[in-house]
């Protein structure tokens, strides 16, 4: 069971300074790296690194707003500018970044 309905307004992340409550709309993408995730925000150069796996973050974000395009990438649908490629797809985000799409996830972008 996911917690999407409980956390539709914010993602609660415990940090040493206290609890961080970023709104899902402020998140551009989430990138997994082993047992850590880097949360990239739309208006900041700074990233938030959390010691959680990508599935933990994905379960706490609205499913209608975020899409898992790769085993290590979760992107905000509102910030997908284009989908490039035919046999191999790449997503271009509104900030100009390119995110690869895995072969298994390409069909959901058609």
């Amino acid at each position: 069971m996911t917690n999407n309905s409980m956390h539709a307004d914010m993602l609660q992340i415990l940090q040493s300074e206290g609890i961080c409550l970023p709104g899902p709309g402020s998140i551009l993408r989430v990138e997994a790296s082993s047992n850590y995730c880097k949360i990239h925000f739309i208006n900041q150069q700074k990233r938030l690194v959390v010691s959680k796996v990508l599935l933990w973050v994905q379960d706490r974000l609205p499913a209608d707003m975020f899409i898992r395009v790769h085993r290590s990438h979760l992107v905000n649908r509102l910030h997908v500018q284009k989908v490039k490629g035919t046999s191999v797809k790449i997503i271009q985000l509104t900030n100009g970044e390119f995110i690869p799409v895995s072969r298994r996830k390409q069909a959901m972008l058609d």
Side-chain angles (χ1 to χ4, degrees):
M1 178 171 129
T2 63
N3 294 328
N4 285 342
S5 59
M6 288 175 44
H7 299 285
D9 297 323
M10 62 188 70
L11 176 65
Q12 291 185 330
I13 301 169
L14 183 62
Q15 295 183 298
S16 59
E17 303 88 33
I19 296 175
C20 179
L21 301 169
S26 68
I27 298 172
L28 179 67
R29 67 185 181 97
V30 183
E31 178 182 4
S33 178
S34 187
N35 289 330
Y36 292 87
C37 284
K38 295 176 192 168
I39 301 174
H40 300 259
F41 296 96
I42 56 173
N43 295 329
Q44 298 177 0
Q45 297 288 21
K46 186 178 165 185
R47 295 178 306 234
L48 179 63
V49 178
V50 295
S51 60
K52 302 289 183 186
V53 294
L54 190 57
L55 185 60
W56 183 91
V57 177
Q58 182 179 354
D59 284 347
R60 284 154 179 81
L61 291 171
D64 60 335
M65 190 177 211
F66 288 85
I67 184 170
R68 181 105 174 239
V69 296
H70 193 275
R71 66 182 166 104
S72 61
H73 293 286
L74 183 67
V75 297
N76 187 332
R77 291 176 188 259
L78 300 174
H79 297 288
V80 173
Q81 186 171 357
K82 308 180 188 180
V83 179
K84 294 183 171 191
T86 52
S87 61
V88 177
K89 295 190 186 310
I90 297 173
I91 290 177
Q92 182 177 359
L93 299 175
T94 53
N95 70 345
E97 291 182 306
F98 292 95
I99 306 297
V101 179
S102 70
R103 285 185 303 230
R104 289 190 286 162
K105 303 287 184 172
Q106 288 187 21
M108 70 181 170
L109 296 175
D110 290 335

